[in-house]
Amino acid sequence: MNVWWMRHPRVILPAPLCYGASDVPVDEEHAQQCALLLAQQLPANCQVITSERQRTQTVARQLQALRPDLPEWHVDARLNEMDFGCWEMVPWQQIPRTQLDAWNAEFSNYLFGGQESVAHLAARAQAACQAFEQQAQQSGQSILCITHAGIINAVQYVLQNPAAPIPRASTQWPAAPVPYGQARQWQSGNWTSPDWQQS
């Protein structure tokens, strides 16, 4: 049994926007490619769990059509991306530099956009991670979480630093987001790609 953390497919946006809690258009061709690979590789009885956003659920719906033998997928709000509040759907270039600097200065607890902090995000991610690991151990079934870059970074951080607080400096947070449509897992103390994943 494994717990895999997969980022949603590519999205289609006219410019680099700040988005997390918003639904945005997904690249349907890429979503189909992701679903096809998963259908070919996922083990029997693998439980698929998504966030509340359509960019994650698109893959789950297509995967269910390709693999009707899998358990019915379901939604867990703990897998939602960070809510950027008033900065949702605002181009990054239009967000005042003072706001970005304030976030970097107090990375863990600053409410960027007024809704949620990185500490809040990490708490959700840690709770989901613990619940799914326990579920996988008790049931013997693998779990695929289709989620977002922020959640995956948070899971990576809490698994690699189980006793450490959320860092105050953004430089201590995982720097490179998981590419769209790619998955990661915690295996033998390492944060790594699953064996079935194409590079």
Side-chain angles (χ1 to χ4, degrees):
M1 50 80 189
N2 296 279
V3 179
W4 296 300
W5 301 84
M6 175 183 165
R7 189 181 182 187
H8 60 79
R10 288 189 295 266
V11 296
I12 301 174
L13 297 172
L17 301 180
C18 176
Y19 69 95
S22 303
D23 269 319
V24 295
V26 69
D27 183 329
E28 292 292 345
E29 182 177 354
H30 191 221
Q32 292 172 4
Q33 293 171 355
C34 293
L36 182 59
L37 174 62
L38 292 170
Q40 295 170 342
Q41 301 294 341
L42 289 184
N45 203 36
C46 181
Q47 177 65 64
V48 177
I49 307 174
T50 77
S51 77
E52 295 178 315
R53 303 285 78 82
Q54 288 299 313
R55 55 190 180 273
T56 67
Q57 297 179 18
T58 295
V59 178
R61 281 192 293 269
Q62 295 181 8
L63 175 60
Q64 191 83 71
L66 294 168
R67 286 285 304 276
D69 61 297
L70 294 177
E72 184 175 357
W73 62 276
H74 66 262
V75 175
D76 192 312
R78 291 175 296 189
L79 297 181
N80 289 352
E81 181 60 284
M82 183 170 168
D83 186 343
F84 294 109
C86 66
W87 302 124
E88 285 281 331
M89 302 305 290
V90 176
W92 283 103
Q93 290 185 340
Q94 295 181 19
I95 298 176
R97 185 70 228 180
T98 54
Q99 287 294 313
L100 298 172
D101 290 343
W103 189 17
N104 282 324
E106 186 55 54
F107 181 70
S108 59
N109 294 315
Y110 187 71
L111 297 177
F112 183 70
Q115 288 295 318
E116 195 170 27
S117 68
V118 172
H120 294 148
L121 176 78
R124 285 198 283 110
Q126 185 172 33
C129 184
Q130 291 174 344
F132 300 153
E133 290 285 352
Q134 183 178 30
Q135 177 181 337
Q137 290 175 5
Q138 292 177 347
S139 67
Q141 70 179 158
S142 294
I143 297 175
L144 172 69
C145 302
I146 307 177
T147 182
H148 307 268
I151 286 289
I152 297 174
N153 280 349
V155 169
Q156 177 183 351
Y157 183 84
V158 298
L159 288 174
Q160 292 178 333
N161 306 276
I166 304 304
R168 293 187 61 184
S170 59
T171 55
Q172 297 174 296
W173 194 247
V178 174
Y180 292 111
Q182 296 283 298
R184 297 291 184 267
Q185 69 180 118
W186 184 249
Q187 187 175 53
S188 301
N190 293 305
W191 188 242
T192 184
S193 298
D195 294 337
W196 47 260
Q197 182 168 266
Q198 297 177 350
S199 59

